């Protein structure tokens, strides 16, 4: 694997290898001294041109735990603020010979573009516009594997602003690969039938069902993934008011008890508490939210390992 640009294009085998490698790195995070020499002498540049707390921090920690030299560049402290193009910024960084550039950008396709332009560097997509966020899907699947007997053969609900969510798109692609049943739930404006025309879902389309009724969609699901309403990407009228959205689609304990009593709940963060998820659910016993954040480091270690450490098994490098 040269780059990780998305879940699209990965085989089931590639994806399962990444999950298994992530599982191996979980143990490193539980040690007293959380450091391995795996990426000594390698340079990782984290280029985050959009806000991020979890993803940026966990990529930084992942690189440092593996002894890489990690440099962070953000939109407010880079020359992008002076009008430099993404390509010029990236070329400048490439001239310093990094092994990996991790990129987050508001434009869909930004990571792919850099992978085409920068010949000697591996690119990791840390979220590009409304397109993909593959490491989030990886850490989410790692998290599910820790609480359910298998990550295959499950029913997962994804609730909320699906149309604007790169987290949803990467997770949908991951769960179709795994052969799972996926329920997409939300108002018609945020979860339109048109979503099913996505070319990448292709032959797997039968695994995806759309629901405009929260209770119906949640019924019998093992995992409920809530999504943030992406205010920054809402251009137009997707619902009459936030209150109306919340009244109809907020995931609450009362509803879950009724239709999916044994389910676990996830959220990629940042959360709008009381909008897409109640505080009772977010902080309650079925919540996997903190575990997701914790797993983010292991999943990203696995990705950096796969791209930069060259051949060898995880065991050789631990
Ligand atoms: C998400 C993102 O930025 O795509 N957050 C994350 O990476 N953990 C989801 C979001 O912004 O809603």
């Amino acid at each position: 694997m040269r780059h990780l640009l998305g879940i699209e294009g990965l085989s089931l085998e590639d994806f399962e290898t990444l999950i298994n490698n992530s599982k191996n790195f979980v143990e490193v995070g539980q040690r007293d001294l959380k450091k391995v020499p795996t990426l000594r002498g390698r340079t990782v540049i984290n280029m985050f041109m959009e806000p991020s707390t979890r993803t940026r921090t966990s990529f930084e920690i992942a690189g440092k735990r593996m002894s890489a030299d990690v440099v962070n560049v953000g939109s407010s402290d880079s020359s992008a603020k002076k009008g430099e193009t993404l390509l010029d910024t990236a070329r400048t960084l490439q001239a310093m010979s990094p092994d990996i550039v991790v990129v987050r950008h508001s434009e869909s396709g930004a990571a792919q573009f850099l992978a085409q332009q920068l010949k000697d560097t591996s690119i990791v997509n840390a979220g590009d516009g409304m397109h993909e966020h593959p490491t989030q899907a990886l850490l989410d699947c790692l998290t599910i594997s820790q609480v359910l007997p298998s990550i295959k053969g499950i029913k997962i609900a994804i609730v909320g602003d699906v149309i604007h969510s790169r987290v949803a798109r990467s997770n949908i692609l991951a769960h179709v690969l795994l052969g799972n049943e996926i329920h997409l739930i939300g108002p018609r404006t945020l979860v339109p039938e048109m979503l099913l025309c996505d070319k990448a879902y292709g032959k797997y389309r039968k695994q995806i069902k759309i629901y405009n009724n929260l209770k119906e969609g949640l019924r019998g699901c093992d995992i409920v993934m809530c999504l943030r309403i992406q205010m920054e990407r809402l251009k137009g009228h997707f619902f009459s008011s936030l209150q109306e959205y919340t009244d109809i689609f907020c995931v609450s304990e009362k509803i879950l008890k009724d239709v999916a009593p044994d389910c676990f709940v996830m959220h990629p963060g940042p959360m709008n508490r009381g909008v897409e998820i109640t505080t009772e659910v977010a902080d309650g016993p079925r919540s996997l939210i903190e575990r997701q954040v914790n797993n983010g480091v292991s999943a990203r270690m696995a990705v950096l390992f796969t791209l930069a450490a060259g051949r060898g098994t995880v065991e050789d490098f631990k």
Side-chain angles (χ1 to χ4, degrees), residues 50-52 54-55 104 126-127 129 133 136 165-167 227-230 232-233 267-270 300:
E50 244 197 356
S52 171
R54 278 149 279 262
T55 310
R104 165 164 292 195
H133 193 351
Q136 181 70 41
S165 174
R166 54 198 177 203
V167 173
L227 299 174
R228 181 176 70 89
I229 298 290
Q230 310 249 318
E232 73 277 26
R233 296 189 223 278
H267 193 304
R300 284 156 185 143

Side-chain angles (χ1 to χ4, degrees), residues 57-261:
T57 315
S58 63
F59 265 111
E60 183 174 350
I61 294 176
K64 287 184 170 164
R65 276 197 187 157
M66 300 175 96
S67 309
D69 296 311
V70 181
V71 180
N72 297 313
V73 183
S75 51
S76 58
D77 56 9
S78 74
S79 293
K81 217 169 173 191
K82 300 180 184 166
E84 188 174 57
T85 64
L86 172 65
L87 182 57
D88 282 338
T89 305
R91 277 189 184 143
T92 304
L93 298 177
Q94 164 141 306
M96 300 177 221
S97 311
D99 297 281
I100 298 184
V101 172
V102 177
V103 60
R104 165 164 292 195
H105 201 276
S106 57
E107 294 295 327
S108 302
Q112 167 93 43
F113 172 71
L114 291 186
Q116 282 160 352
Q117 302 293 330
L118 306 184
K119 296 288 175 233
D120 306 317
T121 307
S122 289
I123 304 292
V124 179
N125 183 2
D128 62 329
M130 305 189 301
H131 178 228
E132 280 229 41
H133 193 351
T135 57
Q136 181 70 41
L138 180 62
L139 76 90
D140 288 340
C141 288
L142 170 65
T143 305
I144 296 171
S145 77
Q146 293 169 341
V147 295
L148 293 181
S150 172
I151 49 169
K152 288 183 172 168
I154 63 169
K155 244 194 226 185
I156 176 167
I158 304 182
V159 191
D161 190 357
V162 177
I163 195 169
H164 297 110
S165 174
R166 54 198 177 203
V167 173
R169 193 161 184 282
S170 287
N171 266 291
I172 294 169
L173 291 165
H175 287 282
V176 289
L177 264 188
L178 294 164
N180 293 330
E181 185 176 322
I182 303 149
H183 294 189
L184 304 180
I185 311 172
R188 261 177 248 279
T189 44
L190 296 178
V191 191
E193 286 287 330
M194 169 193 92
L195 273 178
L196 297 181
C197 300
D198 191 314
K199 211 167 77 238
Y201 303 159
K203 61 182 176 184
Y204 305 108
R205 220 171 286 166
K206 280 207 190 94
Q207 285 168 243
I208 312 170
K209 292 187 185 139
I210 289 187
Y211 294 88
N212 302 120
N213 179 296
L214 181 62
K215 266 193 171 180
E216 270 174 35
L218 293 178
R219 199 173 296 281
C221 283
D222 306 291
I223 298 288
V224 176
M225 184 177 289
C226 304
L227 299 174
R228 181 176 70 89
I229 298 290
Q230 310 249 318
M231 298 297 183
E232 73 277 26
R233 296 189 223 278
L234 293 184
K235 298 202 171 58
H237 298 285
F238 287 85
F239 38 76
S240 331
S241 69
L242 208 53
Q243 188 57 52
E244 188 196 68
Y245 175 84
T246 299
D247 291 345
I248 303 174
F249 289 104
C250 184
V251 172
S252 68
E253 193 52 41
K254 187 168 172 290
I255 295 177
L256 293 177
K257 257 196 199 121
D258 194 15
V259 294

Side-chain angles (χ1 to χ4, degrees), residues 20-48:
N20 288 333
N21 285 351
S22 308
K23 284 183 189 166
N24 270 298
F25 285 116
V26 169
E27 186 265 322
V28 175
Q30 291 161 348
R31 292 181 191 171
D32 185 25
L33 295 176
K34 303 174 180 53
K35 196 131 181 141
V36 288
T38 319
L39 296 185
R40 203 167 44 197
R42 308 279 186 189
T43 305
V44 178
I45 298 184
N46 293 324
M47 191 168 121
F48 278 70

Side-chain angles (χ1 to χ4, degrees), residues 272-289:
N272 293 309
R273 286 175 181 266
V275 175
E276 65 261 0
I277 186 169
T278 63
T279 284
E280 190 187 9
V281 173
D283 298 339
R286 57 172 93 246
S287 170
L288 302 178
I289 298 170

